[in-house]
Amino acid sequence: IGGGAGGGGRRYGAGGGAGGAMLANGVTIDAGTYGVTIGSGGAGGTYPSPNAGNRGSDGGNTIFGSGGPQQRQGTGGGGGGALDDNKDGKNGGCGGGASSTPPSSGGSSTQPSAPGPGTDYGNRGGNYNTPGGGWAPAGGGGTNGQGVDSPGDRVNGGGNGGDGVQLSISGTATYYGGGGGASVYNTINPSYPPAPPQIAPANHKTFGGAGGGGTGGTHPAVSIPSPSSPNQHGLANTGSGGAGGHTQSENFSTTVGGNGGSGLVIVAYPSVNNAVIT
């Protein structure tokens, strides 16, 4: 799985995309030495001026056996968008989410982007199409689900990241590659419903996707579900995306997006029980 991307920074930062994943079963690997590159997590976006933020940086590619007949690749995730000049999510193994200027597009999935047979996992980042700008941004794509789009109406909160895929190659069922949650807009639970903005629905609680995606908010009424990340950064060695940042106080970071989690390679060999039963 590739490295996860960083979330967007400064204003209405969207979630970073997870690294794309590949699972190859039943592969015969000849004896020898194989180069392995582990994709690094992308840095969260910052703010170059008082009114504009940077998109998160892309995650790095994870490559097994580069250039050889057994090459496999998990492509790094695409950075999450930020308001103003960098509103669209970037393309990557899983795409980054879009920031809060309509219409803005989440990044596309580019997994697979290298030769090597196997089952590939990657999804797009969430799109922003809410009428009017400056509302809840979109989540980053995960290996098993796209980032949550903006809703049709104005709500607080921020789109959740797409869920990661659950695999058992390590011997234990584990989630990998959760997309980053978008930043919190204002507050998750406003005190004056039903007038706009509405209470954030369940898919706009700024959670990272299952598999370690970064989470944007710190609201005391919200319990972060496992296995999302308990903070803004994506979990290391899961290829998960970082959460977006915004200037409101209920974010883990008020200005800088969360970093993506590094990728990983697992090579699992079958075991044989040669015990003699008498």
Side-chain angles (χ1 to χ4, degrees):
I1 182 167
R10 175 56 177 83
R11 289 208 300 167
Y12 306 96
M22 169 180 276
L23 176 65
N25 284 317
V27 177
T28 299
I29 299 178
D30 296 331
T33 300
Y34 294 82
V36 174
T37 300
I38 303 297
S40 59
T46 57
Y47 53 109
S49 72
N51 296 313
N54 281 341
R55 287 184 292 193
S57 297
D58 297 342
N61 297 335
T62 293
I63 305 173
F64 173 87
S66 179
Q70 297 296 351
Q71 177 175 329
R72 301 292 192 278
Q73 177 169 313
T75 303
L83 201 67
D84 307 306
D85 295 334
N86 301 297
K87 63 179 184 175
D88 295 323
K90 299 177 74 175
N91 300 335
C94 296
S99 186
S100 303
T101 301
S104 298
S105 299
S108 299
S109 171
T110 60
Q111 179 72 28
S113 57
T119 302
D120 292 282
Y121 301 91
N123 289 279
R124 69 167 175 85
N127 300 321
Y128 183 87
N129 291 303
T130 299
W135 296 93
T143 51
N144 198 42
Q146 67 188 40
V148 173
D149 296 336
S150 68
D153 199 359
R154 295 168 292 173
V155 302
N156 288 335
N160 295 354
D163 281 339
V165 63
Q166 188 180 48
L167 302 172
S168 298
I169 187 171
S170 67
T172 302
T174 304
Y175 285 94
Y176 301 99
S183 61
V184 175
Y185 163 72
N186 196 341
T187 177
I188 292 176
N189 295 316
S191 59
Y192 45 89
Q198 305 292 340
I199 293 176
N203 63 359
H204 274 75
K205 300 292 189 182
T206 79
F207 294 150
T215 299
T218 61
H219 194 283
V222 175
S223 298
I224 298 170
S226 178
S228 296
S229 173
N231 56 52
Q232 191 184 21
H233 303 306
L235 294 179
N237 303 319
T238 64
S240 53
H246 186 59
T247 55
Q248 295 295 330
S249 61
E250 289 184 352
N251 285 357
F252 286 103
S253 169
T254 59
T255 53
V256 180
N259 301 329
S262 53
L264 79 163
V265 169
I266 298 175
V267 179
Y269 296 88
S271 60
V272 177
N273 186 353
N274 292 317
V276 177
I277 299 177
T278 59

